[in-house]
Amino acid sequence: MLISLIVPCYNEQEALPIFYEESTKVLAGMDCEYEFLFVNDGSKDGTLELLKEFAKEDTHVTYIGFSRNFGKESAIFAGLANAEGDCCAVMDCDLQHPPEVLVSMYRLWEQGYEVVEGVKRSRGKESAIHRACAGLFYKMMSKAVKIDMSRASDFKLLDRKAVDALLGMPEKNAFFRALSSWIGYRSTSVEFDVQERT
Ligand code: UDP
Ligand code: MG
């Protein structure tokens, strides 16, 4: 079985080497094949150069380079469209999503779950205004999609079937964390504590 780890990256030259090392440790300890699919979202720092180096030295690493900054959603969908995994996980590069949680996600996928959602047990350090705005946004979003989004995140593991369903949708401006819950399939969740940004 192959797991693809999709990682959108925007100006991550400092976090990227730490992310790569930490998540390699986790993936190499799992009983499956793995590939990294980094998406450089028009970074202005040395992110792309680092990705080139990783890809040269490690056959597990592939990257996509955007011509400019298109935003995280585009980066996630470009990753999904180019991943070859039997399942695909999406993770932030700044280690706010703890890599070791991938192990629990993968186990649940092995048990037959097709959408494994990372839900925030705690939200980590945030300003009061950020928390209030996020709260309001998710209240409106939850009402619109009729799914509780209050603890939702982009940290998810999806079966190939769910990935293909997402890629088959005609939406050009998609919101991954909502759409990946909305498509249905056999779903479950894993709680995680949002870590401080590396
Ligand atoms: N990111 C991206 N394009 C952007 C902004 C962010 O690919 O235009 C990536 C970023 O490198 C990180 C993830 O999306 O891997 C989450 O970004 P950030 O940590 O800034 O978001 P937050 O944690 O505040 O939600
Ligand atoms: Mg972050």
Side-chain angles (χ1 to χ4, degrees):
M1 287 296 151
L2 172 70
I3 178 170
S4 301
L5 187 58
I6 294 157
V7 191
C9 305
Y10 180 57
N11 295 342
E12 296 285 8
Q13 67 178 18
E14 273 123 42
L16 185 56
I18 308 168
F19 172 87
Y20 172 56
E21 195 186 323
E22 294 298 312
S23 38
T24 296
K25 271 189 226 156
V26 171
L27 289 166
M30 284 162 58
D31 49 0
C32 60
E33 295 295 315
Y34 66 92
E35 65 167 6
F36 284 100
L37 189 33
F38 291 102
V39 184
N40 177 43
D41 184 15
S43 298
K44 292 171 187 73
D45 65 355
T47 297
L48 183 61
E49 285 63 41
L50 280 174
L51 292 178
K52 284 181 185 168
E53 262 176 50
F54 295 165
K56 221 191 303 173
E57 279 162 28
D58 183 352
T59 52
H60 294 101
V61 176
T62 318
Y63 66 89
I64 295 168
F66 280 178
S67 56
R68 66 164 168 85
N69 178 244
F70 283 90
K72 183 184 182 185
E73 300 297 323
S74 304
I76 291 174
F77 278 90
L80 291 173
N82 287 278
E84 294 187 345
D86 300 292
C87 62
C88 298
V90 175
M91 262 179 105
D92 284 1
C93 188
D94 57 6
L95 287 155
Q96 290 200 275
H97 300 159
E100 58 276 11
V101 176
L102 278 175
V103 179
S104 322
M105 289 179 153
Y106 186 76
R107 294 284 166 257
L108 287 162
W109 175 75
E110 281 185 316
Q111 289 165 29
Y113 289 101
E114 292 153 328
V115 176
V116 184
E117 316 208 44
V119 298
K120 296 173 183 171
R121 187 187 295 124
S122 61
R123 298 185 59 95
K125 252 194 205 159
E126 276 176 348
S127 66
I129 183 95
H130 184 112
R131 201 173 288 260
C133 291
L136 182 63
F137 173 74
Y138 285 111
K139 223 173 181 170
M140 286 160 49
M141 181 56 80
S142 302
K143 215 165 175 185
V145 297
K146 298 186 179 67
I147 296 167
D148 179 14
M149 299 279 305
S150 58
R151 300 197 299 146
S153 77
D154 286 333
F155 186 16
K156 309 210 186 196
L157 187 146
L158 307 176
D159 181 73
R160 168 57 44 199
K161 257 195 269 179
V163 171
D164 288 343
L166 280 176
L167 294 173
M169 293 177 74
E171 273 77 359
K172 285 277 178 269
N173 196 354
F175 184 40
F176 172 72
R177 75 183 65 171
L179 210 56
S180 52
S181 307
W182 181 85
I183 52 171
Y185 294 97
R186 201 170 162 219
S187 303
T188 189
S189 59
V190 172
E191 288 191 322
F192 72 99
D193 295 305
V194 176
Q195 305 299 301
E196 214 172 305
R197 174 182 277 170
T198 296

